[in-house]
Amino acid sequence: MKSSPTYRTGQRLPLEGGGHLRLSVNPRARRISIRIDGRRGEAVAVAPSERRLADAVAFARSKSDWISERLSARPAGAVLEPGAVVPVEGRPVRLEATPGNGAARLIDGPDGPRIVSGGEGEAYARRVMNLLKRLARERLAERTEVHRLALRQGPVSIAINDAGTRWGSCTPRTRSIRYSWRVILAPPTILDYLAAHEVAHLVHADHSPAYWSLVRGLVGDPRPHRAWLRANGAALHAIGR
């Protein structure tokens, strides 16, 4: 009798029609589910235990057409190179090259904003990304401070990263907040909402009604901002990949 294959969390399997399936175990999951990881361009099968991973694989294979459609519909990455146009604070900004190895600069001119940078290839892209990260830190530090003072909270430390799916995280115990630099690509109201969202976690570590009441007091109704991130988040995560 042929034994069933053994699967493990983190394993990647090829899918019919192209693409890959990543296996993941989440003990809090109530059922098997499939989601699309737009950043990595693969499907993820989530099971409540490793014992159920075989069921998750079978379920994913039964949904191969749906997975293929979703993967093919994901946004194409925008390469950070001269001539490309990327959003910065919600505005389209053209990337331009300048001779030499100078750092990237954001310039507001009569023809609209543009980023001018030295370097070539990966060096050019790195300079542009460093500028975007610096802008993100400046704007997020400013809005974090505003909301921190509004809630009468003490100082916090801020870090900028490039998390795959999360826009931010807050650890009240260490009073530290992490943000994805990619929120600088979104309109200022979205960045402000994210800062309020994380600062409010200094008071309430959960997403209870009391927490959302605090967020509403800072930025108003959070639902339009959350909807914007759901609709546009994958496109922002694809930039520079």
Side-chain angles (χ1 to χ4, degrees):
M1 184 174 179
K2 193 174 181 179
S3 60
S4 300
T6 301
Y7 298 108
R8 64 185 184 279
T9 187
Q11 185 176 357
R12 285 178 169 78
L13 305 172
L15 285 169
E16 291 184 17
H20 286 82
L21 177 72
R22 186 170 85 247
L23 308 185
S24 176
V25 171
N26 181 356
R28 294 177 296 177
R30 296 183 178 180
R31 61 184 183 277
I32 290 168
S33 63
I34 307 294
R35 64 178 177 84
I36 301 298
D37 185 336
R39 182 188 181 213
R40 295 186 177 182
E42 61 188 10
V44 182
V46 181
S49 66
E50 290 217 349
R51 182 176 55 84
R52 298 290 310 280
L53 282 175
D55 296 331
V57 171
F59 179 63
R61 287 175 175 162
S62 74
K63 300 290 185 181
S64 59
D65 289 344
W66 177 84
I67 290 173
S68 180
E69 290 175 3
R70 293 294 303 275
L71 287 175
S72 62
R74 72 188 182 95
V79 179
L80 298 178
E81 61 184 8
V85 176
V86 298
V88 179
E89 297 187 284
R91 301 185 300 167
V93 175
R94 180 171 295 278
L95 305 186
E96 297 181 2
T98 188
N101 295 310
R105 295 172 294 135
L106 178 62
I107 300 173
D108 260 318
D111 297 326
R114 55 198 175 98
I115 289 177
V116 178
S117 177
E120 297 181 358
E122 291 184 5
Y124 179 90
R126 185 168 58 252
R127 286 171 171 79
V128 172
M129 191 169 291
N130 286 341
L131 170 64
L132 295 173
K133 289 179 179 179
R134 187 167 68 251
L135 291 173
R137 174 178 286 278
E138 291 173 0
R139 305 293 193 271
L140 286 163
E142 175 189 343
R143 299 314 301 169
T144 297
E145 185 72 359
V146 168
H147 297 310
R148 177 184 74 80
L149 293 175
L151 297 183
R152 299 181 179 180
Q153 290 294 302
V156 296
S157 63
I158 294 175
I160 302 297
N161 62 17
D162 193 9
T165 57
R166 302 182 71 178
W167 293 104
S169 62
C170 175
T171 307
R173 179 177 57 81
T174 58
R175 303 196 63 78
S176 59
I177 296 176
R178 291 181 175 271
Y179 294 111
S180 167
W181 69 265
R182 293 176 180 275
V183 75
I184 195 63
L185 307 173
T189 54
I190 303 300
L191 182 147
D192 188 45
Y193 158 70
L194 179 63
H197 183 111
E198 300 307 334
V199 170
H201 278 311
L202 294 170
V203 182
H204 298 288
D206 52 23
H207 287 98
S208 63
Y211 165 82
W212 287 114
S213 177
L214 213 57
V215 173
R216 282 193 297 274
L218 295 172
V219 294
D221 187 355
R223 289 174 296 183
H225 308 309
R226 298 173 67 193
W228 192 97
L229 285 170
R230 285 194 300 270
N232 299 279
L236 301 191
H237 280 297
I239 290 173
R241 302 194 185 284

